[in-house]
Amino acid sequence: MAASKPLLLLDNASMLTLLHQGCFRLQEISFEEVKAILEMHGSREVVRCFSNAEIEQLLYKHLDVAIRNFNYAPVENMAVDQDAIAFRLYVTPSETQPSIRTEYGNEATKVQNLYVYCQFLTRFDPDAGPVPGTLLTSLSFGFNAVMRASGYPKKAMFTMLIGAITNVILDPIFIFWLDMGIKGAAIATIISMLLCTLFVMNHFVQKDSIVRFHKGTFKLEKHVVWNILTIGVSPFAMQLAGSLVVVIQNYALKQHGGDLALGANGIITSVGMLLVMLIIGIAQGMQPIVGFNFGAKKYERVQETLRLVIITSTIIMGVGCFCSVAFPKLITRAFTNDPDLLDVTANGLRISLLVFVVVGSQISISQFFQSIGIAWKAMFLSLSRQVLFLIPAMLLFSRFWGLDGVWYAAPFSDFVAAVTAWLFLWYHVKNMKSKNSD
């Protein structure tokens, strides 16, 4: 096992000594996170580099950490990929000093006549070139979707298993055994993506594959590129909308509920995404079946497949909705035992997932329109739930009901978006029946 680089504990003076030596990544962390990091390190894996012993004793007492457990050394150098915790100190003349905010806008912790906030530092080499992991990820995920859509769902699933299992095996080897930290995790992921890419690309050179590479077929054709873009813009818009919603939602939560509301939303989002990802997986499995039968004009099979997916998705969402409304505290305890956070999260979870049962059909119908090539309907339905209805409701409801208004915006948006999706589907089926009768 490679020799471990010790974690450095710095104050203002020792941090300034190091900062001119190279490039650093900085992240603000809380005292609770500092204590958790120190508890994960052995006594010989931490080096104290404080220049003021009195202030150092005060901070360790506040952290409830025994100072004798760590070695002391004057700060000289910090190696590439080495980590440190810096205590940024502001000494005040009295305990009546107004509060001090950090460069990130958070309020510093008051310890007697000190205002302190903590930063986690990692030194990196700016000249180290990036590993082209994004290219491998794009190839493996992109062509894996083509493989699934062309009638090889089991192979597509096996591709994902290769990446996941390989990553699980390699992560501890690179992170702990080779002591490469975050860099090791990145390398493990890239190796996993490389294996996925090789497996996927091998499929497209096999002669028995329905869709495969041929000589002379790599020339771009305008109408083909346009069809790809119009179909792909729906999930792209959904991801972009999700990012926009997070920014606006975090602002509203911070304004009406503070840090507790932000923490609660993280838990609520995790529960919601667990259910949503199940539905997206089912809907993506529906796409090649619906696309093939729609192209073959076997509309009865298309309707039967969509009906089955909607029923399954509604049952799953119904169970999740019932559990979230009936047992919100029980679910929340899986994430936290803090009594204040528990109460805020339970209330938010109960309200946010109040009508989550309708989300399954909304997502399924949106994916259905994407499967049959009606991109603008798929995009509109994707945006309706996360942007068109949610953002205005969030901004309006929070004005009248504060934090509860932010939570109530979600079920309102879910319900209106689901009604919109069903109206789109009803109109589409009506038109199809009209064309068939003609």
Side-chain angles (χ1 to χ4, degrees):
M1 186 170 180
S4 177
K5 303 182 183 74
L7 174 71
L8 305 181
L9 302 182
L10 313 172
D11 60 4
N12 288 351
S14 53
M15 182 179 177
L16 288 173
T17 302
L18 291 175
L19 283 181
H20 75 279
Q21 296 181 2
C23 297
F24 296 85
R25 297 183 184 92
L26 286 80
Q27 178 185 357
E28 191 169 309
I29 58 176
S30 65
F31 268 91
E32 290 76 14
E33 290 172 310
V34 170
K35 187 173 181 179
I37 293 170
L38 293 177
E39 288 174 350
M40 289 190 295
H41 287 74
S43 58
R44 295 184 180 182
E45 297 174 333
V46 180
V47 174
R48 300 153 36 221
C49 303
F50 271 66
S51 57
N52 188 311
E54 185 179 349
I55 292 178
E56 184 181 20
Q57 290 279 3
L58 184 64
L59 289 174
Y60 291 142
K61 183 179 179 181
H62 182 77
L63 283 166
D64 192 24
V65 173
I67 191 172
R68 64 179 178 274
N69 289 346
F70 307 133
N71 297 322
Y72 174 80
V75 63
E76 294 178 355
N77 189 27
M78 187 169 171
V80 173
D81 294 329
Q82 188 172 11
D83 299 326
I85 295 175
F87 296 89
R88 306 298 300 273
L89 312 170
Y90 297 89
V91 182
T92 62
S94 69
E95 295 191 1
T96 61
Q97 177 80 11
S99 64
I100 293 176
R101 292 199 173 272
T102 71
E103 56 198 271
Y104 297 94
N106 300 319
E107 189 170 325
T109 302
K110 194 164 187 282
V111 183
Q112 292 187 14
N113 67 327
L114 290 174
Y115 280 96
V116 188
Y117 71 94
C118 311
Q119 288 182 320
F120 190 83
L121 293 80
T122 303
R123 184 176 177 183
F124 68 94
D125 182 4
D127 297 325
V131 182
T134 305
L135 175 62
L136 298 176
T137 303
S138 300
L139 287 174
S140 60
F141 279 98
F143 280 94
N144 190 56
V146 176
M147 181 194 293
R148 184 180 65 246
S150 60
Y152 298 90
K154 290 184 179 179
K155 254 189 171 182
M157 181 184 70
F158 190 64
T159 305
M160 305 307 293
L161 289 175
I162 290 174
I165 294 172
T166 305
N167 214 340
V168 168
I169 295 172
L170 293 182
D171 267 342
I173 295 175
F174 282 95
I175 296 173
F176 301 111
W177 192 65
L178 297 177
D179 193 35
M180 297 179 70
I182 296 298
K183 183 178 179 180
I187 293 174
T189 301
I190 289 170
I191 293 174
S192 303
M193 287 295 100
L194 175 62
L195 293 178
C196 289
T197 303
L198 292 175
F199 179 81
V200 170
M201 302 310 287
N202 179 66
H203 168 81
F204 290 98
V205 298
Q206 299 295 323
K207 292 183 178 180
D208 58 344
S209 297
I210 296 174
V211 178
R212 62 183 185 273
F213 295 126
H214 296 275
K215 291 181 179 179
T217 59
F218 291 93
K219 183 180 178 181
L220 296 178
E221 296 183 19
K222 186 177 179 180
H223 73 280
V224 175
V225 173
W226 175 251
N227 288 336
I228 292 172
L229 290 176
T230 53
I231 293 173
V233 76
S234 175
F236 169 75
M238 195 170 179
Q239 294 297 324
L240 187 64
S243 301
L244 177 63
V245 167
V246 167
V247 173
I248 297 174
Q249 189 175 43
N250 283 350
Y251 175 79
L253 290 169
K254 181 73 174 178
Q255 186 178 20
H256 296 285
D259 291 338
L260 276 178
L262 289 172
N265 187 59
I267 296 173
I268 295 167
T269 301
S270 298
V271 175
M273 284 304 297
L274 178 64
L275 296 169
V276 167
M277 292 308 292
L278 284 171
I279 305 307
I280 290 177
I282 294 171
Q284 286 183 344
M286 168 192 72
Q287 286 183 328
I289 301 172
V290 167
F292 176 83
N293 285 286
F294 185 82
K297 296 184 178 182
K298 297 179 179 180
Y299 301 126
E300 290 184 2
R301 290 187 178 183
V302 172
Q303 291 181 13
E304 180 64 22
T305 303
L306 178 60
R307 186 182 68 85
L308 183 61
V309 168
I310 289 177
I311 292 173
T312 305
S313 300
T314 302
I315 291 172
I316 293 172
M317 285 302 196
V319 172
C321 178
F322 173 78
C323 293
S324 300
V325 174
F327 314 108
K329 285 197 173 182
L330 183 64
I331 295 173
T332 305
R333 284 194 182 96
F335 297 88
T336 181
N337 290 319
D338 182 271
D340 294 330
L341 182 58
L342 186 65
D343 290 338
V344 175
T345 307
N347 180 57
L349 183 65
R350 178 180 57 81
I351 296 174
S352 297
L353 274 64
L354 191 61
V355 297
F356 219 56
V357 63
V358 303
V359 173
S361 61
Q362 197 273 343
I363 294 175
S364 299
I365 294 171
S366 174
Q367 294 284 325
F368 165 75
F369 283 117
Q370 183 180 341
S371 303
I372 62 176
I374 307 179
W376 74 268
K377 286 187 178 181
M379 182 176 67
F380 180 84
L381 292 177
S382 298
L383 292 174
S384 65
R385 177 173 164 259
Q386 291 194 342
V387 177
L388 301 179
F389 302 135
L390 179 60
I391 293 178
M394 194 185 304
L395 296 176
L396 180 63
F397 292 177
S398 62
R399 285 179 173 269
F400 294 98
W401 302 300
L403 180 59
D404 280 353
V406 180
W407 301 136
Y408 274 114
F412 171 82
S413 174
D414 292 342
F415 180 77
V416 178
V419 171
T420 304
W422 277 102
L423 288 174
F424 272 48
L425 182 61
W426 172 80
Y427 186 76
H428 175 77
V429 172
K430 182 182 176 182
N431 278 352
M432 290 299 298
K433 288 181 178 178
S434 170
K435 288 179 180 179
N436 289 337
S437 63
D438 293 341

